[in-house]
Amino acid sequence: MSGDELTDLTASTPNSHGSTRPDNSELVRVDGLKKYFNVDSGLLSGLDFRFEYPPVRFERETVKAVDDVSFDIRRGETLGLVGESGCGKSTLARTVLRLLKPTEGDIYFEGENLADIGREELRSMRRNMQMIFQDPQSSLDPRMKVGRIVEEPMKAHDMLDTEGRRERAKELLNRVGLDPEHYYRYPHSFSGGQRQRINLARALSVNPDFVVCDEPVASLDVSIQAQVLNTMAELQEEFGLTYLFIAHDLSVIRHISDRVAIMYLGEIVEMGEKEEIFENPKHPYTKALLDSIPVPDPRASGAHGVLKGEVPSATNPPSGCRFRTRCPSLIAPDSFNLTEEQWEAVRAFMRAVERQTFDPLEESAIRNRFFEDVQLYGEAAAVIDEAIDLIALDSARADGVELNGSGEYSEQWKDAAEILLDAFARTSVCAAQHPAKDVEAGEDSDRFVACHLHR
Amino acid sequence: MSSNPLLSVEGLTVQFFTDRGTVTAVNEISFEIQEEEIVGLVGESGAGKSVASMSLLRLINGPGRIVEGEIRYKDRTLFALEEGPDGEPRKREDMLSDEEMRTEIRGNEIAVIFQDPMESLNPVYTVGNQLQEFIKLNRDISKKEARSEAIRMLREVGISDAAERYEKYPHEFSGGMRQRVLIAMALACKPNLIIADEPTTALDVTIEGQILDLVQDLQEKYGTSFLWVTHDMGVVADICEQVNVMYLGNIVEQAPVDDIFYNTKHLYTDALLDSMPRPDRTVERLKAIKGVMPSAIDPPEGCPFHTRCPDARQVCEQTHPDLRDVSDDANIIHRSACLKHDIFNVNYEGSLPMTDETKRQANTSAGTTSVNETGADR
């Protein structure tokens, strides 16, 4: 390595493309990626004992943390990945870097399939792919000085000699906005924002093309968060970096990303250019997410909390569209021929019974509350009547149940929910079919929405 | 402001006496909470907002101590000092005893919701058991009545299957559900004021939205007042009516929510709003605030924000601004602690602007480890 390369940090890229080349060539392509985990581990964990034949069977429950995800990341761009906790975004990131072995699918990095290359080869590829973690506290070894922390990856990849590494480490500390003299300090003397800068310097030390950032600013204060985000944007330009940026905070995603992917329960439900996603969201989940953010503007209309319930378990995700159990735009089953208004009333009633969101009422009160302006006919009316019968308060139940603890009544409430779900939710196209990824026609071929409403 | 606030705080100062020196975590803050009002206490970590809110209930343990100020709740004195015969400060006669605080104020009149619901719930008892016990103790009713009241409260805060969930342990609840349990617990004794310390910070945005909706519904229904402690200006804009912005132990701005956002009168609030990424529009480049918050052990002289303030002048280094009404509208009280405003009359305009060099000196002398966190703003 020559001295010139030390001063110009960007020039030593092995496959030296220019510092910023916002071309459209893809750096990473992920195709049909799946990552499943076995829920139980241990000797007898998979065994299932029961009183019928066969008495013992071997069954494994799996969590489908990432399920059939495909996307690409272009050179020099930032792809934002958003989703609620537990949606599988961190698992996806780790699998893309092959820190976890994919259950199925391919990951192409500069044309090489990471899913089936050998260990040694993978190790040398890792030089081009680095990761920054959320918790800057625990991702730095407290017993190592900052200098050694930053030099570590270079050492692992046999870059430069001792003197060269030290010089490069100090130069990098300067680039990420720290003092080169911090080289001699221990991590504990740094604030959260500064620690994240050390992480950045370490990731950049081996001159990677691709950096996966897993919630890098989530634990930082607003004013520090802005500093780190700005530094990351500068470094991206200077070093020609490509980021996969994971966050749960949509404001941060909107700020840093070029394109955005929205993840729900292991799947990407919508993806496209940032402005498109934020200004013209198509998937009901994306819409709901955007509506939930408290906007820092007291004059904005506060439409938060539009999504009810919580993310279902990934061991047993809902059939068809995974979002359907919370979806505010669930599609009416064809068989009933309901009008828009009728369906809205039925849907609201079904969800309310399912989640028991109202106190027990008498029959007329229930009808007043949910079906005041709507008249139902035929089979739909029969189902609703049956459900109301089960949960309505009559004179026999009038005492006691209001303060509800009685088992029988709560069983009936559940039966009513089952009847409604069977009739209206499980027959919907949303439950029957997995939504295909609908690619929007037009120039922006990247935009896709996985929702039955957009077919 | 009405003459009869639910809670009023006057010149509250809390100090921590540590080996490394005395830390003034809260410095002479004053604010009021009216009936049926949601008041925000906003600031970054280390601003002193949690200490300020906990001291309202006198929940400050050694080495911390309330050293000055008066806290009044309705017609009762939660905290007040007077000068003793030897000039020593001593508790004033009308101040409630620890016993009275425990039995009459905490829980019954003022309740708290903490950020981390797992730490506030006992993992070895069922959720129902804890809720029922709490209601039984505080409201003096039978176990059976407490049980049905507990189930009713669980349903009230939007927990489905309340009767069944009653028997479950805290770890069987998700984060959002646990937070609902805590809200149920806080509401159980029908307090007039709830102190909510970052209750939605650890939650996903969709769940946060649900909780904010719930709080607004309940507030409407019961008329409970809230002191909402948060770092999130989005949440503040959403639910608060009156806002206090804290920086390094001081309240630097105090105004109705609309004025905080649309007629900002303190440069820290301004900088904070500018440094946030927005969910509702794309900002090309964030205007980050330079540097880090100085250490509270050795805070800067003069205005606490002058080391990071873009408009700091030399006078800012010399004069500590108190909170003064700078409103241009007679109907609104808008207080700010910024020497820029004419009311302070310290010849701000005539003072020389501070250079980066002088600021850096101030910053290092304030004992921060960060000599150069300004890299982000090149």
Side-chain angles (χ1 to χ4, degrees), chain B residues 116-122 178:
Chain B
D116 185 353
M118 205 53 198
E119 275 181 23
S120 321
L121 292 168
N122 189 331
R178 283 200 285 262

Side-chain angles (χ1 to χ4, degrees), chain A residues 114-157:
Chain A
L114 299 182
D116 55 33
I117 63 172
R119 237 170 139 175
E120 207 33 55
E121 227 176 321
L122 186 64
R123 215 182 77 85
S124 65
M125 294 285 286
R126 287 245 166 84
R127 177 171 162 173
N128 290 329
M129 316 177 275
Q130 291 290 312
M131 183 150 183
I132 296 169
F133 298 91
Q134 169 174 3
D135 187 355
Q137 179 78 55
S138 59
S139 51
L140 299 174
D141 188 334
R143 289 164 305 177
M144 278 193 196
K145 285 188 178 160
V146 169
R148 220 175 118 205
I149 290 174
V150 176
E151 283 172 13
E152 188 104 288
M154 293 192 269
K155 235 174 173 170
H157 289 286

Side-chain angles (χ1 to χ4, degrees), chain A residues 42-53:
Chain A
L43 190 59
L44 296 174
S45 61
L47 296 181
D48 185 12
F49 300 92
R50 38 179 100 208
F51 291 106
E52 50 190 68
Y53 184 83

Side-chain angles (χ1 to χ4, degrees), chain A residues 87-367:
Chain A
C87 74
K89 45 192 197 306
S90 290
T91 306
L92 175 58
R94 283 169 170 77
T95 316
V96 167
L97 288 181
R98 261 301 307 274
L99 296 171
L100 294 170
K101 197 170 166 45
T103 310
E104 230 183 283
D106 301 310
I107 310 142
Y108 295 95
F109 183 81
E110 295 191 312
E112 288 242 31
N113 191 350
L114 299 182
D116 55 33
I117 63 172
R119 237 170 139 175
E120 207 33 55
E121 227 176 321
L122 186 64
R123 215 182 77 85
S124 65
M125 294 285 286
R126 287 245 166 84
R127 177 171 162 173
N128 290 329
M129 316 177 275
Q130 291 290 312
M131 183 150 183
I132 296 169
F133 298 91
Q134 169 174 3
D135 187 355
Q137 179 78 55
S138 59
S139 51
L140 299 174
D141 188 334
R143 289 164 305 177
M144 278 193 196
K145 285 188 178 160
V146 169
R148 220 175 118 205
I149 290 174
V150 176
E151 283 172 13
E152 188 104 288
M154 293 192 269
K155 235 174 173 170
H157 289 286
D158 263 337
M159 266 176 78
L160 308 172
D161 52 17
T162 319
E163 189 53 38
R165 284 198 288 264
R166 180 182 311 145
E167 223 165 294
R168 185 176 165 86
K170 286 188 174 177
E171 177 65 30
L172 276 164
L173 287 175
N174 191 31
R175 292 289 169 102
V176 297
L178 293 169
D179 192 321
E181 287 310 300
H182 289 162
Y183 182 92
Y184 302 101
R185 291 213 206 157
Y186 286 99
H188 69 82
S189 58
F190 293 88
S191 67
Q194 289 176 318
R195 283 203 200 103
Q196 210 51 294
R197 288 172 192 275
I198 298 172
N199 270 321
L200 273 169
R202 171 171 63 183
L204 295 183
S205 67
V206 288
N207 214 341
D209 294 322
F210 181 46
V211 182
V212 172
C213 318
D214 191 358
E215 300 269 13
V217 294
S219 57
L220 306 179
D221 265 320
V222 192
S223 70
I224 306 299
Q225 176 179 301
Q227 294 171 356
V228 173
L229 285 174
N230 282 343
T231 303
M232 288 184 72
E234 279 158 21
L235 293 171
Q236 175 167 43
E237 208 162 294
E238 190 177 336
F239 291 75
L241 299 172
T242 306
Y243 288 139
L244 174 60
F245 195 103
I246 300 168
H248 68 279
D249 183 337
L250 284 133
S251 320
V252 171
I253 286 286
R254 176 160 200 168
H255 174 68
I256 195 124
S257 311
D258 298 307
R259 287 190 305 148
V260 177
I262 315 277
M263 209 168 166
Y264 185 77
L265 213 54
E267 297 180 333
I268 291 182
V269 295
E270 184 167 5
M271 184 164 168
E273 297 289 332
K274 164 176 73 181
E275 288 300 322
E276 275 290 296
I277 294 279
F278 277 88
E279 292 303 327
N280 184 19
K282 295 227 153 102
H283 198 283
Y285 179 60
T286 315
K287 285 183 196 164
L289 264 188
L290 293 176
D291 282 346
S292 315
I293 320 172
V295 179
D297 178 354
R299 293 181 192 171
S301 58
H304 44 71
V306 286
L307 267 196
K308 304 281 180 265
E310 307 202 350
V311 185
S313 149
T315 40
N316 189 15
S319 66
C321 171
R322 292 188 174 180
F323 183 56
R324 70 175 167 88
T325 53
R326 298 169 83 195
C327 185
S329 323
L330 186 76
I331 299 169
D334 293 336
S335 52
F336 291 108
N337 259 328
L338 298 170
T339 66
E340 196 72 25
E341 275 162 355
Q342 288 171 328
W343 172 235
E344 230 161 75
V346 169
R347 194 170 54 200
F349 179 60
M350 176 176 76
R351 296 268 204 248
V353 174
E354 186 190 356
R355 302 204 175 98
Q356 303 197 4
T357 51
F358 59 100
D359 290 328
L361 297 169
E362 286 175 16
E363 186 190 335
S364 58
I366 296 177
R367 286 190 193 280

Side-chain angles (χ1 to χ4, degrees), chain B residues 105-374:
Chain B
I105 301 296
R106 286 183 212 140
N108 278 318
E109 295 288 342
I110 306 177
V112 192
I113 305 170
F114 293 100
Q115 174 174 1
D116 185 353
M118 205 53 198
E119 275 181 23
S120 321
L121 292 168
N122 189 331
V124 301
Y125 292 106
T126 62
V127 161
N129 212 324
Q130 298 180 49
L131 192 51
Q132 175 252 99
E133 182 78 15
F134 181 77
I135 295 171
K136 195 171 68 117
L137 282 177
N138 279 296
R139 301 227 318 239
D140 200 23
I141 52 179
S142 79
K143 194 169 172 183
K144 201 166 162 221
E145 281 171 305
R147 181 192 153 89
S148 44
E149 180 65 13
I151 292 175
R152 202 186 62 77
M153 286 313 303
L154 287 177
R155 188 175 309 114
E156 175 91 38
V157 295
I159 291 179
S160 57
D161 261 341
E164 206 168 292
R165 296 285 192 119
Y166 182 90
E167 311 287 347
K168 301 263 196 249
Y169 290 89
H171 74 267
E172 296 173 276
F173 285 63
S174 67
M177 282 295 162
R178 283 200 285 262
Q179 204 54 277
R180 283 171 199 266
V181 172
L182 285 196
I183 294 175
M185 213 175 258
L187 283 170
C189 298
K190 308 218 161 44
N192 286 311
L193 173 64
I194 293 181
I195 298 172
D197 189 359
E198 303 252 14
T200 60
T201 303
L203 304 176
D204 270 315
V205 53
T206 58
I207 310 296
E208 176 178 59
Q210 292 173 10
I211 300 278
L212 294 181
D213 277 351
L214 172 69
V215 164
Q216 279 172 321
D217 289 350
L218 294 171
Q219 199 245 0
E220 231 160 78
K221 192 165 164 188
Y222 296 110
T224 318
S225 301
F226 279 87
L227 178 66
W228 201 274
V229 181
T230 182
H231 69 278
D232 187 339
M233 288 302 253
V235 174
V236 169
D238 221 323
I239 63 168
C240 295
E241 290 148 66
Q242 188 76 20
V243 185
N244 298 289
V245 181
M246 281 191 84
Y247 184 80
L248 207 60
N250 296 271
I251 290 180
V252 294
E253 187 166 4
Q254 185 174 68
V257 66
D258 198 75
D259 290 75
I260 286 281
F261 284 83
Y262 281 94
N263 191 14
T264 315
K265 300 255 190 216
H266 195 283
L267 290 160
Y268 172 64
T269 317
D270 214 22
L272 197 62
L273 288 170
D274 273 348
S275 69
M276 290 167 58
R278 306 274 305 202
D280 52 344
R281 59 173 179 260
T282 301
V283 183
E284 267 315 307
R285 201 185 150 75
L286 299 172
K287 283 193 221 143
I289 307 179
K290 292 180 182 175
V292 292
M293 198 186 288
S295 149
I297 287 200
D298 188 12
E301 298 279 310
C303 170
F305 187 55
H306 85 257
T307 56
R308 303 171 76 190
C309 181
D311 291 351
R313 306 243 166 140
Q314 281 173 4
V315 60
C316 302
E317 205 182 356
Q318 294 145 11
T319 315
H320 180 89
D322 50 351
L323 202 56
R324 294 191 192 175
D325 188 3
V326 294
S327 177
D328 24 34
D329 180 341
N331 297 317
I332 292 169
I333 295 181
H334 190 145
R335 297 195 173 97
S336 167
C338 178
L339 297 173
K340 234 180 148 175
H341 299 285
D342 295 337
I343 193 168
F344 286 94
N345 202 12
V346 287
N347 192 17
Y348 171 86
E349 291 301 327
S351 180
L352 287 173
M354 282 184 78
T355 61
D356 276 354
E357 195 45 46
T358 46
K359 266 192 229 175
R360 184 159 305 138
Q361 276 166 7
N363 218 344
T364 31
S365 69
T368 55
T369 51
S370 78
V371 189
N372 193 9
E373 181 116 28
T374 49

